Amino acid sequence: MSHQIDFSRFDSRQEFTSNGKSYSHYAVKSLDDLGFGPVSRYPFSIRILLENLLRYFHRNMVTGSQLEALASWRPDVLPNMGIPFMPSRVVLQDFTGVPALVDLAALRSAVARNGGDPASMNPFIPVDLVIDHSIQVDKYGSKDAFNFNVAREMERNRERYTMLHWGQKAFDNFRVVPPGTGIVHQVNLEYLATVTQTEQQNGIDYIYPDSVLGTDSHTTMINGIGVMGWGVGGIEAEAVLLAQPYTLQIPEVIGMRLNGSLPPGTTATDLVLTITKFLRQKGVVGRFVEFFGPGLDTLTLPDRATIANMAPEYGATMGFFPVDKETLRYLRNSGRTEEQVQLVADYFQAADLLYTSTTADPEYTAVYDINLGDTVPSLSGPRRPQDLLPLSAVTHDFYNQFSKQLDDRSTAIEAGNMDGCPTCDTTPVACGSPDKKCDELTNGSVVIAAITSCTNTSNPDVMIGAALLARKAVQLGLHCKPWVKTSLAPGSKVVTSYLEKSNLLPDLETLGFNLVGYGCTTCIGNSGPLDKTVADTIQNKQLITAAVLSGNRNFEARIHPQIHANYLASPLLVIAYALAGTVLINMETDPLGMSAAGEPVYLKDIWPTKEEIRETVQEAVTADLFVDSYATVFDGDEQWQQLHGGSDSLFPWDSESSYIREPPFFTGLSKELPPTTNIQQARILALFGDTITTDHISPAGAIAPDSPAGMYLQNLGISPDNFNSYGSRRGNHEVMLRGTFANIRIRNLMVDREGGYTKLMPTDAEVSIYDAAMQYQQAGTPLVVFGGKDYGTGSSRDWAAKGTMLLGVRAVIVSSFERIHRSNLVGMGVLPLQFEPGTDIQTLHLNGKEVVSIAGLDGELTPNQQLELCIERPDRSQITVPVTLRLDNEMEIDYFRNGGILHKVLRQIITG
């Protein structure tokens, strides 16, 4: 392909008619006329990216070389070039949305301080914020659990919600879905996503594919409906809102060919957990994954959405399903208008973006095959989503995973024996429940069973399946064990509508799966307290207990601080394990319990058939339920409507607030670009191993009273009962700064215990990471953090980068990064550096007592260049090793030189 094409002279626009109206669009297939392609053999995701670049090229946001680089896409050759991407819209959830709104409000304050008009700063593209991350399971197992939990949510979060109420009035292009409505990704799938977008320019109606970036890593769920989108850090999302394109490297695209169909007794959950293990082993971090093949026809769109949802777990930027006839069927069945569905069909057909059974296979970087018929009923755990376990392997794996802890404790019992072990000298621990049917609470007991998360509650097949399983269990006289905390937290009101319509909700309630709220709840760690007797027994006997949830993440200490083993499962298996009360059971051969007639009941006895599930789904899940549920989606209840956030363009900061404080990021910002300097004589704040998650770096859950954040809140007169969570206090940098690296399970290799501790050098005193960082700042000592592989895996948590920066960390040096966290570090001006293969903290024999310097930053920087890392040991000996600068494109270098993305945006605003 020749270079230096003048795209400004090339008109790619074409027209078509839909519903009697003419539309113009930028046709990527027209690039064939310039010698590219054939574009029809490009992956569908690349075609949609190309359309975005074509459209924004004519708005001077894309260069000709960037457009040409993507138009020249080849599966075997990828240029090392960053390209801009401007989505149609942005979605936020409240844990990340509140700090984003705080930053936007702080930017407005900074603009005002510099003599500008704060009201002129508004989102460049539409934003929807869904409040779903704050509700906790305080009450469960009763009909009033929902109302109780919603009231507690408002009580805890009134100050945060008042700011959101202010934001929806103060900013243009900004909508808020109030609490008690649903989970952002399910609301996006069922309502917000339009699949196409239209706008008028100079009297011409243009149409283009819907696309979205979100401040939650599971934004990829929308890939299931054919909408391009993925999770980014809150910092990057804020920049996009302010007309800064998101920059990504031209991606490799992995084709995942699906064959066959799911066998009886399996679910889409089993399939996605299987795919997660498979692709984690293959390695798809930073790549697009695109699904195709004959197996697509056997998957419903909610099945596809389940698979797309877990793209972060299998490491991909996207898990993309192209638009096809199933997409159109789902749009109709979810209440979209016939005109809208027809417009989607006509546009994607005209634009050569519609996948059919006769579509030639696109050319992919690599193609992997999955036979759906090989899927078996499974869990994943106990610590990672990719650790797949067939049901028969769970018991053995539990003992293998926790053998050391169990060897140290006298309460271990044989697998599957709920009444204690007659052949070994152990004594099971009494549950203490007033229910005299109680067996025993011991190691392996399931103490949380949660039907939760948009991953599965968006799928009527598994939700109806779970309810039918519950009905059969109730009919046979089975009960959940009394120590199990049961909960039902759907991602939208549509779910409870069809459960009520099918008269299946009472069966779930009989087993204790009452509605506790519409939100993420247990999946993000908002599982609430365990029963006191259960919690005390676990604590006193040091039990290794389990949680089983229909979520997407099960990282250590994420679900509940007292629970060590966390398993992901389908909603049907969540109920099955609640009935058994233990994970020390072979679900394929052992009974779940005894029927009312005294007969053993096995999983196969209560498992519904595919025909039963599909028949009920067809009868109960109808378009009118979606229309009715979303008719008043932005209204909120009476408590929401009574909030008074005001509508002034500037937010009224309250210096006494413990929830919302003006962050220090933009105070004292110079209009001129500061010089970039080398890092000299830095101390090591922490040494971490592999798979340090953003939950480890910036926890979202409970605040310990004796932690730096807990002490800060108590000094403000706030009792531990009213701490709320780290996630809910992300609008207060003082809390989040103290909470950085404060996860109770994080392991800093510089000390001999878990938790947020380090050694203060040169005294070698053991102190909290926060206290050490503050002392280093007072001494003017720069800091670095070292880590292993997959540093920053997990949620797209911007405070994991913000807190790192506020602690005074100049650079993070690791073996490999997860995509979003690396971008967030760049967005906050923290230098991401990567070891060369064969070098890591073990080969360097680091112990935290070293002094570190990094040279090469004071000159001209280029993407991915090598820098020199100099390590000086206490005996004055030195070693110098090369590290890769993980600033991957020129835009990221510009952000780093500015001290971060938002610093660049503010400089642009105040300098005109």
Side-chain angles (χ1 to χ4, degrees), residues 357-655:
S357 59
T358 60
T359 299
D361 290 348
E363 297 176 346
Y364 293 108
T365 305
V367 174
Y368 302 136
D369 287 89
I370 284 279
N371 187 341
L372 306 185
D374 293 337
T375 306
V376 298
S378 306
L379 305 184
S380 279
R383 297 183 180 92
R384 301 186 306 175
Q386 64 263 41
D387 295 333
L388 185 72
L389 295 169
L391 297 184
S392 60
V394 175
T395 296
H396 175 76
D397 184 78
F398 179 89
Y399 281 117
N400 184 55
Q401 294 281 348
F402 300 104
S403 58
K404 185 179 186 304
Q405 295 97 312
L406 294 172
D407 286 344
D408 293 339
R409 299 168 189 184
S410 63
T411 55
I413 64 170
E414 288 287 321
N417 189 339
M418 292 301 297
D419 298 311
C421 177
T423 61
C424 61
D425 187 21
T426 61
T427 303
V429 178
C431 160
S433 168
D435 185 344
K436 298 307 179 185
K437 295 180 180 180
C438 174
D439 294 323
E440 303 292 346
L441 170 63
T442 187
N443 289 310
S445 290
V446 174
V447 294
I448 287 180
I451 299 176
T452 179
S453 174
C454 52
T455 310
N456 286 289
T457 68
S458 61
N459 193 331
D461 282 3
V462 296
M463 295 302 291
I464 291 290
L468 288 170
L469 184 146
R471 171 166 289 179
K472 294 184 179 189
V474 169
Q475 290 171 345
L476 288 171
L478 296 183
H479 301 276
C480 295
K481 291 295 186 285
W483 56 76
V484 184
K485 182 173 185 176
T486 50
S487 60
L488 170 64
S492 81
K493 293 181 177 179
V494 174
V495 178
T496 42
S497 294
Y498 65 66
L499 289 174
E500 289 171 343
K501 183 177 179 180
S502 59
N503 198 32
L504 288 169
L505 188 58
D507 298 293
L508 288 166
E509 292 173 339
T510 299
L511 294 182
F513 287 91
N514 296 76
L515 177 68
V516 297
Y518 298 100
C520 302
T521 61
T522 303
C523 187
I524 60 162
N526 287 355
S527 52
L530 296 175
D531 175 85
K532 187 177 185 304
T533 303
V534 172
D536 289 347
T537 302
I538 294 172
Q539 178 65 34
N540 294 337
K541 299 297 183 179
Q542 292 293 287
L543 298 178
I544 306 295
T545 56
V548 182
L549 63 148
S550 62
N552 47 44
R553 287 199 171 139
N554 54 343
F555 300 132
E556 197 171 13
R558 177 184 176 94
I559 305 306
H560 191 282
Q562 285 189 287
I563 298 175
H564 287 75
N566 302 299
Y567 297 93
L568 305 181
S570 69
L572 293 87
L573 289 175
V574 169
I575 296 176
Y577 277 96
L579 294 168
T582 180
V583 294
L584 303 183
I585 178 176
N586 184 342
M587 284 279 177
E588 295 179 354
T589 59
D590 297 338
L592 299 175
M594 305 299 288
S595 71
E599 297 293 326
V601 178
Y602 297 85
L603 181 61
K604 63 184 180 181
D605 297 330
I606 59 174
W607 195 274
T609 66
K610 278 192 174 182
E611 292 71 26
E612 289 175 302
I613 294 171
R614 288 297 168 90
E615 181 180 343
T616 307
V617 168
Q618 289 174 3
E619 292 177 355
V621 186
T622 52
D624 60 295
L625 300 185
F626 292 84
V627 174
D628 292 344
S629 293
Y630 287 106
T632 57
V633 66
F634 298 108
D635 293 354
D637 60 15
E638 184 178 354
Q639 292 186 84
W640 173 262
Q641 293 172 6
Q642 290 177 350
L643 294 175
H644 298 289
S647 57
D648 293 341
S649 60
L650 288 176
F651 183 73
W653 302 107
D654 180 2
S655 60

Side-chain angles (χ1 to χ4, degrees), residues 101 104-105 108-109 112 117-122 162-172 644-653:
L101 187 58
L104 292 177
R108 275 193 168 183
S109 295
D117 178 13
S120 65
M121 199 195 76
N122 289 288
T162 298
M163 185 183 196
L164 294 177
H165 205 268
W166 165 82
Q168 71 177 353
K169 293 182 178 180
F171 288 96
D172 298 334
H644 298 289
S647 57
D648 293 341
S649 60
L650 288 176
F651 183 73
W653 302 107

